[in-house]
């Protein structure tokens, strides 16, 4: 999500990446197999089963880099909840993949998570 806002890198950016990598290690699949920004954004909402928060979508840079009118259909990909059976892993991934970086799990919180 940081890319859509042209935001600076910060530690929560790495947490998002770690969530994607953990998913890929555990399943052998890409979490968001998209090729361009509009498809990627739409797929993120679909896979995580949550819409981008208004605080992000109302941001001028978000609107400039993404065009919701062009989102249309995405290639078939299942929701995260349907792809991960382990409830602790699913919970950890959803905490890593919060759209709002302020709401993402911290590294210390992640290490205390029941999944580990």
């Amino acid at each position: 999500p940081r890319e859509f806002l042209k935001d600076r890198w910060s530690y929560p950016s790495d947490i998002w990446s770690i969530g994607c990598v953990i998913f890929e290690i555990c399943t052998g699949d890409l979490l968001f197999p998209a090729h361009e920004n509009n498809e990627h954004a739409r797929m993120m909402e679909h896979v995580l089963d949550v819409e981008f928060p208004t605080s992000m979508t109302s941001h001028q840079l978000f609107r400039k880099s993404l065009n919701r009118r062009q989102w249309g259909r995405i290639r078939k990909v299942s929701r995260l909840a349907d792809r991960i059976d382990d409830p602790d892993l699913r919970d950890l991934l959803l905490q890593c993949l919060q759209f709002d970086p302020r709401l993402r799990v911290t590294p210390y919180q992640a290490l205390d998570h029941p999944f580990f």
Side-chain angles (χ1 to χ4, degrees):
R2 174 183 78 80
E3 284 298 310
F4 304 134
L5 294 176
K6 307 296 183 216
D7 242 352
R8 296 176 332 159
W9 170 87
S10 62
Y11 292 104
S13 303
D14 286 345
I15 294 296
W16 178 276
S17 298
I18 287 169
C20 293
V21 171
I22 290 172
F23 175 87
E24 292 167 11
I25 289 170
C26 292
T27 66
D29 294 324
L30 290 174
L31 183 56
F32 307 112
H35 298 290
E36 55 87 24
N37 281 349
N38 283 316
E39 180 186 26
H40 197 183
R42 176 69 181 101
M43 193 173 289
M44 290 162 76
E45 284 191 336
H46 174 77
V47 168
L48 299 175
D49 199 20
V50 65
E51 290 187 2
F52 283 101
T54 306
S55 61
M56 290 179 78
T57 59
S58 63
H59 195 283
Q60 183 179 10
L61 287 174
F62 186 95
R63 289 192 319 257
K64 186 175 182 179
S65 63
L66 296 174
N67 183 347
R68 279 187 180 256
R69 284 181 243 143
Q70 294 178 358
W71 283 18
R73 298 179 56 94
I74 56 171
R75 71 183 95 193
K76 187 174 173 122
V77 62
S78 300
R79 299 195 190 286
L80 178 88
D82 297 332
R83 297 163 76 185
I84 298 292
D85 293 328
D86 183 306
D88 288 333
L89 174 57
R90 186 172 46 247
D91 181 67
L92 175 64
L93 292 174
L94 290 173
Q95 289 185 44
C96 290
L97 299 170
Q98 289 287 320
F99 286 134
D100 185 338
R102 297 168 298 179
L103 300 178
R104 281 183 211 141
V105 66
T106 68
Y108 295 112
Q109 291 168 332
L111 288 174
D112 274 344
H113 194 276
F115 176 72
F116 294 114

